[in-house]
């Protein structure tokens, strides 16, 4: 059975827990995501620990954001770990995104547009006027023009971003919550089925899976729901 297009966010308290979660979910999902906290605590060892023998894709979510030369050096440093995906902030500018792309050619550079935790009011207080979707589209076009092969945006904006950048760019959506799940610190969310229907390629899901009593079963359940929704969409064409 083909694993579902889900990146499980391994926001674990320690390396052993992260590795255990990864082993439980990898039969059902295509990707595991390592964030800044886990990487800073354990360094490169965390990649080998969660990858294990499964060969699952590793999404290294460091959200690099600095001057182009510094980001190039950082991207070059982690490229040897062979992440499938590495994130940078699109707000760092075209030269910075391009520097990351050139420094880590084997990784898919994913440019983060606007964090899913930010609401319109948050952006306004930070000096960004207008709906979040406008900022997301501007940053998406900038990043793709600089060579980014993927974009990170909320599920609320994914349809508009897909229309803006076309079919060749991988769209990654955090802020994905199964029906009835707590939105927690996410401001712009959607269900997995809705996000995929709107054009997302990879869904980032963390606590609804890792916070459950059985992360493997939770991942399997969401994967099965996505397969059912996809089959229904095909039948309705």
């Amino acid at each position: 059975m083909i694993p579902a297009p889900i990146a499980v966010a391994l926001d674990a308290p320690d390396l052993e827990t992260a590795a255990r979660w990864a082993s439980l979910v990898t039969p059902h999902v295509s990707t595991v995501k390592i964030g800044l906290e886990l990487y800073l605590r354990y360094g490169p060892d965390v990649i080998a620990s969660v990858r294990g023998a499964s060969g699952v894709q590793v999404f290294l979510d460091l959200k690099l954001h600095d001057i182009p030369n510094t980001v190039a050096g950082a991207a070059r440093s982690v490229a040897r770990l062979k992440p499938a995906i590495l994130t940078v902030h699109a707000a760092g500018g075209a030269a910075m995104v391009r520097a990351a792309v050139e420094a880590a050619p084997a990784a898919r550079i994913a440019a983060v547009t606007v964090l899913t935790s930010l609401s319109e009011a948050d952006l306004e207080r930070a000096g960004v006027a207008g709906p979040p979707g406008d900022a997301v589209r501007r940053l998406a076009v900038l990043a793709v023009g600089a060579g980014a092969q993927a974009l990170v945006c909320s599920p609320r904006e994914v349809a508009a971003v897909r229309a803006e950048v076309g079919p060749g760019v991988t769209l990654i959506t955090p802020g994905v919550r199964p029906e009835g799940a707590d939105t927690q610190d996410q401001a712009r969310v959607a269900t997995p089925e809705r996000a995929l229907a709107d054009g997302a390629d990879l869904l980032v899901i963390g606590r609804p899976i890792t916070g459950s009593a059985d992360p493997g079963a939770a991942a399997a359940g969401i994967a099965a729901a996505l397969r059912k929704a996809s089959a229904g969409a095909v039948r309705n064409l």
Side-chain angles (χ1 to χ4, degrees):
M1 190 172 294
I2 298 173
I6 295 170
V8 177
L10 302 176
D11 298 322
D14 53 66
L15 190 58
E16 293 73 20
T17 302
R20 180 172 60 83
W21 286 347
S23 69
L24 291 170
V25 304
T26 48
H28 313 291
V29 306
S30 67
T31 310
V32 291
K33 185 175 83 71
I34 295 168
L36 190 60
E37 183 179 355
L38 199 62
Y39 187 80
L40 289 179
R41 188 180 299 147
Y42 296 105
D45 289 347
V46 71
I47 306 289
S49 294
V50 304
R51 185 178 276 142
S54 69
V56 67
Q57 287 195 129
V58 173
F59 175 179
L60 190 53
D61 189 19
L62 300 184
K63 297 185 179 71
L64 302 176
H65 190 172
D66 211 309
I67 64 172
N69 190 57
T70 299
V71 166
R76 200 173 294 115
S77 294
V78 298
R80 63 189 175 83
L81 305 174
K82 297 181 170 56
I85 303 167
L86 173 66
T87 52
V88 302
H89 267 293
M96 190 209 78
V97 173
R98 191 173 299 112
V101 171
E102 292 172 356
R108 195 178 315 166
I109 298 299
V112 177
T113 55
V114 175
L115 296 173
T116 52
S117 59
L118 296 176
S119 66
E120 185 171 343
D122 294 325
L123 290 172
E124 187 174 352
R125 284 192 287 271
V128 181
D134 290 351
V136 168
R137 287 195 300 274
R138 288 194 300 269
L139 289 166
V141 170
L142 176 150
V144 170
Q149 304 99 328
L151 296 165
V152 181
C153 62
S154 97
R156 298 280 182 88
E157 290 95 38
V158 70
V161 171
R162 176 62 74 203
E164 196 78 51
V165 302
V169 178
T170 300
L171 299 188
I172 302 168
T173 53
V176 174
R177 292 289 185 271
E179 195 70 51
D182 190 342
T183 60
Q184 293 155 319
D185 56 358
Q186 303 291 332
R188 305 187 328 276
V189 302
T191 64
E193 295 85 352
R194 181 74 265 162
L196 277 187
D198 285 344
D201 297 298
L202 184 64
L203 313 178
V204 178
I205 305 176
R207 285 164 287 190
I209 291 175
T210 60
S212 69
D214 186 341
I222 296 172
L226 289 177
R227 283 192 291 271
K228 182 178 179 182
S230 296
V234 171
R235 284 195 299 271
N236 292 329
L237 288 177

